[in-house]
Amino acid sequence: MMSKMLNVRELFPEGQLRFIAGPCAVESEEQIDAAASFLSSRGVKILRGGAYKPRTSPESFQGLAEKGLKILRKAADQYNMLVVTEVMDEENLDLVGEYTDIFQIGSRNCQNFSLLRAVGKLDKPVLIKRGFGNTVEEFYQASRYISKEGNDQIIMVERGIRTFEDSTRFTLDISAVPVLKEKVKYPVLVDPSHPAGKREYVPSLTYAAVGAGADGIMIEVHPEPERAMSDARQQVDFRTFEKIYGQAMKIREAMS
Ligand code: PEP
Ligand code: MN
C-alpha cells in the first residue's frame, strides 16, 4: 500500500494521455489477475474495478465487498499498479481505504455532500464522476466540497448525462472537457464506457474525448466481456482495448 500522498498531476501530466482500465466489477481472482497482467503489460498503471456496485435493481450483483477489495489489492501489488475503486457510503470508508490508492465517488453520489466532505478529510486522491443529472457547474461545486476539507488531489470524470436521447445509455457531454479544464487545475478524464452502453461505440467516444483534450480515459475492459456480471454489453475485450489505446495515443500525439 502507498504511504506517500499520491499527486494526481504526476499520474495525469498535462499534455499527456493516461488510461485507467479494468472491469466494471471485481468478479474473481482469475478475472482480475488476467486483467491486471494484460493491462500492466500495455503500460496501464491504474486498475479499476468495483467491489461495491451501485446497481439499479437490488436483485442485481452487488459486488464482492471486502473479498473484492482484497483481490484488487493483491493484483495491483503483483503487477505494480494502483487501485481505484468506488466507495458508496461513509460506513465503508475506512475499509475501502485499507485497500485502495484512490477513492472513486460514483455518479449517483456526486452530490452526496457528507460523503464528499468525508473523503475530503482523508489523504488519498478522490476520483469523482459527474452526476448524470448534474450541470458542469454542479459537478465543479461538488469537487469544492472535497477540496474545502483540505484534500485537493482530485480527478474529475465526465461519464455522460441523461438527456432525451436514448440511442446511447447516456449522452457523453464532450463540451464538459474544455469547460472543466478552464475551471479546475485537476486532471479531467472521460469514461466512454457508461455513456456508450454498447462496446461498439466505445472507440468513437474515446477518440472524441482525446480530441476534446481529456487528460485520461477510464474504460471498462474485461477478459470475457459477454460473461461479465455487470455492464456486459459495454465492456471491451483485450484486443479491442489494445486497438483503442493505440489509436488514442496517436490522436494525442497529433495534437501536441
Ligand atoms: C463505475 O465506473 O463503476 C460506475 C458505476 O460508473 P458511474 O458511477 O459513472 O455510473
Ligand atoms: Mn460499469
Side-chain angles (χ1 to χ4, degrees), residues 205-233:
L205 299 193
T206 304
Y207 307 150
V210 180
D215 299 299
I217 300 294
M218 184 190 216
I219 182 172
E220 288 188 344
V221 182
H222 193 289
E224 291 175 290
E226 50 296 317
R227 296 181 62 180
M229 294 168 80
S230 59
D231 289 349
R233 199 58 192 83

Side-chain angles (χ1 to χ4, degrees), residues 2-166:
M2 306 296 297
S3 47
K4 162 180 169 285
M5 177 76 169
L6 288 167
N7 182 291
V8 292
R9 263 299 157 206
E10 285 171 22
L11 297 177
F12 295 93
E14 199 75 61
Q16 293 188 37
L17 182 66
R18 300 273 165 91
F19 278 68
I20 296 176
C24 178
V26 181
E27 298 167 2
S28 69
E29 196 161 341
E30 297 70 38
Q31 171 225 25
I32 294 299
D33 186 84
S37 163
F38 166 75
L39 293 166
S40 62
S41 77
R42 297 304 185 272
V44 177
K45 296 250 182 283
I46 309 178
L47 179 65
R48 62 147 292 147
Y52 297 90
K53 296 305 299 179
R55 305 304 301 280
T56 301
S57 162
E59 272 77 44
S60 300
F61 175 58
Q62 302 286 310
L64 296 182
E66 187 171 9
K67 183 174 173 221
L69 297 173
K70 286 194 162 103
I71 292 173
L72 276 174
R73 185 72 261 158
K74 188 177 168 203
D77 288 344
Q78 184 174 346
Y79 296 101
N80 200 22
M81 298 174 87
L82 298 173
V83 168
V84 59
T85 196
E86 179 162 354
V87 59
M88 283 176 55
D89 38 54
E90 284 169 77
E91 204 179 293
N92 279 326
L93 207 46
D94 290 345
L95 181 66
V96 175
E98 277 178 41
Y99 296 96
T100 199
D101 299 298
I102 302 170
F103 288 111
Q104 176 171 331
I105 302 291
S107 186
R108 287 152 194 82
N109 272 322
C110 186
Q111 289 190 308
N112 181 340
F113 299 125
S114 61
L115 183 60
L116 299 181
R117 281 197 203 96
V119 290
K121 292 188 175 78
L122 302 178
D123 59 356
K124 277 182 193 211
V126 179
L127 177 152
I128 180 168
K129 301 188 77 174
R130 180 180 179 181
F132 53 72
N134 289 153
T135 62
V136 173
E137 176 62 24
E138 287 164 342
F139 185 24
Y140 166 63
Q141 294 299 339
S143 76
R144 293 191 59 245
Y145 271 88
I146 303 168
S147 61
K148 195 161 190 280
E149 299 300 324
N151 188 349
D152 69 348
Q153 294 303 310
I154 299 172
I155 299 165
M156 301 188 75
V157 183
E158 161 60 35
R159 49 78 74 211
I161 53 174
R162 272 275 154 76
T163 68
F164 55 80
E165 182 53 62
D166 60 2

